[in-house]
Amino acid sequence: MRLPAVAGQFYPADSRELTRLIRKFSAEDPEVKKTPVRACLVPHAGYIYSGGVAGAVFARIIFPKQVVVLGVRHSPMGEDLAILSEGAWRTPLGDAPVDEPLAHRIKAACPSLREDSVAHSREHSLEVEIPFVQILDPGFSFVPVAVGTLRFEELQELGMGLARVLKESPEQILVVTSSDMNHYEPDDVTRHKDAKAIDRMKAIDSRGLFEVCRKEKISMCGLGPAVVMLTAMKELGVSNGEVVRYATSGDVTGDRDAVVGYAGMIFA
């Protein structure tokens, strides 16, 4: 059992308040049709800052029953590419089961993955997405993968392996990719930088995203997971990504001097 690490900090520890907040953030727009998608990109900051962006994305999706969550490993502890293939993750809403058969298929296709609870034990980038799915997709199971490397070839290899699993699966599988965008620069600078990274993601260009983040010094913390996801999407024939919502922390706090960017995207 993986116990919650950031309940009461990044999101409410009270189940009723958490449910209310998620339903508020993910309220459906009657003029926008839900659709099945292959993957999405959602932020992972505290819900007060980025929950509206994440909720807008999740509100667009017809969920399958199997989900892969790709998150960044913020801590230096643990394996560079870490998976958990059994058990469950507890949140204030109950226990979300790990999909053991799917996890073992992913491990077989991606030999660089290592079974490792340390990389996951305190990592918030995956944890904060789970309550959204618990509310919007009851009965789901998932596979958590924490990405702690920025070596492009390793990320590409993981993406290709994941694509093979997605291709061969008789059931639809959603890839939830967890990332915030540029960090702690003025709002106008962050928006300018993030637009360059978003353009590469819209084009399903994993190498281009990797290069532009390096060249322009875009501090996108989930660059690794995004490269993995884009590699898989390209292999599956997905040709473009759609921006659902973009915001910065300054939209909430009013402080435009040092913000974090949040992009919400879907890939059908």
Side-chain angles (χ1 to χ4, degrees):
M1 180 64 66
R2 193 273 192 187
L3 299 176
V6 294
Q9 301 171 50
F10 280 65
Y11 59 87
D14 178 81
S15 61
R16 289 170 297 180
E17 175 61 15
L18 178 56
T19 299
R20 184 196 68 79
L21 202 58
I22 288 173
R23 294 207 180 280
K24 172 188 171 186
F25 286 143
S26 57
E28 296 178 29
D29 183 341
E31 296 184 4
V32 178
K33 187 177 180 182
K34 281 176 170 277
T35 182
V37 303
R38 289 282 198 173
C40 64
L41 181 90
V42 282
H44 56 236
Y47 281 15
I48 188 174
Y49 302 110
S50 68
V53 174
V57 172
F58 287 129
R60 288 282 303 276
I61 295 172
I62 296 175
F63 282 91
K65 289 304 178 186
Q66 293 179 303
V67 178
V68 175
V69 185
L70 299 174
V72 61
R73 192 202 68 195
H74 286 89
S75 163
M77 303 295 290
E79 296 284 348
D80 281 348
L81 295 171
I83 189 171
L84 287 178
S85 59
E86 59 183 22
W89 285 35
R90 180 161 293 167
T91 79
L93 301 174
D95 296 343
V98 172
D99 192 314
E100 207 170 321
L102 177 57
H104 286 296
R105 298 204 322 263
I106 293 172
K107 283 171 66 176
C110 307
S112 58
L113 284 172
R114 296 288 181 267
E115 195 76 26
D116 178 33
S117 62
V118 173
H120 290 276
S121 62
R122 301 296 302 173
E123 180 50 58
H124 69 272
S125 69
L126 295 96
E127 178 181 329
V128 299
E129 315 302 353
I130 302 303
F132 277 97
V133 190
Q134 286 178 301
I135 291 292
L136 300 172
D137 184 25
F140 81 105
S141 59
F142 79 110
V143 177
V145 176
V147 178
T149 181
L150 280 175
R151 291 184 285 272
F152 184 81
E153 291 72 20
E154 293 180 7
L155 299 170
Q156 193 172 46
E157 181 184 357
L158 179 57
M160 295 295 286
L162 180 59
R164 287 195 295 274
V165 174
L166 299 175
K167 272 184 180 178
E168 294 167 3
S169 175
E171 306 294 335
Q172 184 77 13
I173 299 170
L174 171 67
V175 180
V176 174
T177 311
S178 180
S179 179
D180 294 340
M181 300 300 291
N182 195 57
H183 286 61
Y184 309 133
E185 293 193 89
D187 191 88
D188 59 339
V189 173
T190 285
R191 289 176 185 271
H192 179 70
K193 285 187 171 185
D194 284 350
K196 293 183 177 184
I198 289 168
D199 280 347
R200 293 301 88 218
M201 289 191 283
K202 287 166 65 177
I204 320 296
D205 182 2
S206 60
R207 173 66 80 173
L209 175 65
F210 189 82
E211 299 284 351
V212 77
C213 284
R214 289 298 180 88
K215 179 181 177 183
E216 303 291 338
K217 296 182 170 58
I218 303 168
S219 51
M220 178 181 177
C221 59
L223 175 57
V227 167
V228 172
M229 178 270 292
L230 291 172
T231 300
M233 294 302 104
K234 188 78 169 180
E235 187 68 13
L236 292 171
V238 176
S239 59
N240 60 79
E242 176 188 345
V243 177
V244 176
R245 185 175 294 181
Y246 176 86
T248 74
S249 58
D251 295 330
V252 174
T253 66
D255 177 5
R256 303 289 179 179
D257 294 332
V259 307
V260 179
Y262 309 120
M265 301 181 67
I266 56 176
F267 303 85

